Amino acid sequence: MNMTELFKDQFAQLQAEDKDSKLSAVREQAFSAFNEFGIPTVRHEEWKYTRIGTLFTKDYKSQVSGKTDFSAKDVDAYRLPGHKEANELVFVNGQFVDKLSTIRSKDLTVLHLAEAAKNEYSEIVSKHFGHSSDYLKDGINALNTAFVKDGIFIHVKRSKIIEEPVYIYNITDAAAENILAQPRSLIYLSENAQLQIIETFATRGTEDSFTNQIMEVIVEKDARFEYCKIQNDSANASQVSTTHIRQTGTSYVNAIIVSLNGEIVRNNTNVVMEAPHCEAHLYGLYFQKGNSHIDNHTIVDNVMPHCFSNELYKGMMDENSTGVFNGKIFVRQPAQKTNAFQSNKNILLSNNASVNTKPQLEIFADDVKCSHGCTIGQLDEEGLFYLQSRGIPEKIAKSMLLVGFASDILDKINLPHIRTYVDHLVAERLGN
Amino acid sequence: MLTISNLHAGIEDKKILKGLNLEIKAGEVHAIMGPNGAGKSTLASVLAGRQDYEVTEGSVEFLGKELLDLAPEERAGEGLFLGFQYPVEIPGLSTTNFVKTAVNEIRKYRGQDPLDAVAFLKMMKEKMALMNIDQTLLSRSLNEGFSGGEKKRNEIFQMAMLDPKLAILDETDSGLDIDAIRIVSNGVNKLRSKDNAVLLITHYQRLLDYIVPDFVHVLYNGRIVKSGTKELALELEEKGYDFIKNEINEDEEVSIAEKH
Ligand SMILES: Nc1ncnc2c1ncn2[C@@H]1O[C@H](COP(=O)(O)OP(=O)(O)OP(=O)(O)O)[C@@H](O)[C@H]1O
Ligand SMILES: [Mg+2]
């Protein structure tokens, strides 16, 4: 059976099984959008350098079953340092699993999305769920929504500061068969609330996994949202991972993405600044080898005046790896006094590695400060010689230069446990 | 300690060093002077092992080993130090971290155990005081945004930390204020002993008032064309390089005449 047929069957099955869900109508709409858009090909402007069609020629197990024999013990292999003082949310094969998750902060509300859709949060859900599809008009985004069933809803009440970070583990069990996992979450920070999320991805087993994730975040007035995504999955794991953040009030956002491994990895990171005086920081570090492909698409949409955004993505590409950076900045007509900065810097460590980088500024206001820049270069030979001339062997000197290059991104990771963890992953990658 | 014989080196098709000879013994301080573009920094780079330069002829013996066969880090391990004319900026790497790695890698090369944190700190404090460098400078990214003088002082600080057998200092005095010259010279003089040697590359006689050389050489057009004592530096200061150029031209005319 081809993929389209399979999705059709699976969709019918899901709608039949889960027909009373509030999400049923949303799914219906998304599935017809999916059929209309189809899987993006390289002819799609936003997918020019990332070929994901091949991922859909694989035979994926039904993505809605959600059944797993994963135990808490099995999760241990994937826990992040500091987890004993953190909230832990576990997704297995794209479905949120209550019994494997631990909520430690008393002010943190975590619900199944379907549940939130019908209780006191229904208004928030209907208002904000699916907003990312206004920005990402492709079959991949629609596919996730078409199959949404057991996502999560995270809510932080007014003036509540969640001290313990939220660790989200996206685990795919590809021990027996190819898996398509589609995690979904909606996160709401009320006025003056604060939340920190750290997210990782892991695949068990050697069959192929494909994760198509969407996280939508709403940040109200005076709230503070900090996010760190660590992508260090195996070479048989691909993903499209969307983080769509709306700053509905004057607020602060910090999003860091560290991408170290995976087959094809595509990140869509969007920040929509819908209130004046918003501040957003977007950082990315990608360090790839083998045949892996990393694609970072970002959108910073300045809708209101006086917003500030700073975007810095840095890449180190080794062996046959390929990279894409596409950074869009929109400045709408009312968004006067916008300050928007963007920079993408790359080091190619092998002759076979490559990067396509493209800034895209669309400015409709006249009184703005925007800058962008991108560089693609080799490792600094002068620097290497300088270090070697001080007695430092070439291999160590190279990794010192690379760690130095990455350091201004790594320095942005606030949680000491996570910083140490990422440092360790980077050192491991450098072979130290 | 160092014997350079008939050294020829260049880059791509450009010949820069054209049969250079020089001998430095332990305990000596040598100064090399010469016009811009003569090949002074090239000589320093070739000795330190920079790959861009191709050695086409000649040999360099350093403490009984063929220097040209060694990787740059091995040369450092053997006791060679180059103070760069233009120290390189390294983003994201602190001087402290850098020097610590360098000290311990050199120790490893020599089969010694790494210095523990306490011993390293003690040594660092001592050398910082000697070079009048403060902690904040050393915790910043290596040379990044350092002033010209700070970079040069940092070079000599590194030298003091690595305690080399032979220090080659390429225009370390350029860009230094009067106090800094004194500090840097003091640092170099502290290193002087009967077992060590220094090769100073400089344009200014002034430095040689502080670090008094045993020999002064003139490097011109890829060769040492004249050697003498510190009086030669005074003579150069007074007359410029023209008198040397004239001498050479006369020599060449003579040799051409002899051939005919
Ligand atoms: N990487 C290079 N590529 C091309 N030419 C070079 C290179 N390095 C040096 N040269 C040339 O070789 C010659 C010698 O340069 P070098 O830097 O050794 O001179 P120097 O004696 O140190 O001069 P200065 O007193 O100005 O520092 C110069 O003509 C220079 O342009
Ligand atoms: Mg020079």
Side-chain angles (χ1 to χ4, degrees), chain B residues 41 85 170-171:
Chain B
S41 294
Q85 181 174 3
D170 191 358
E171 294 198 30

Side-chain angles (χ1 to χ4, degrees), chain B residues 11 14 16 35-42 53 85 171 203:
Chain B
I11 196 154
K14 189 178 165 69
I16 304 173
N36 294 132
K40 303 181 297 298
S41 294
T42 302
Y53 297 97
Q85 181 174 3
E171 294 198 30
H203 285 295

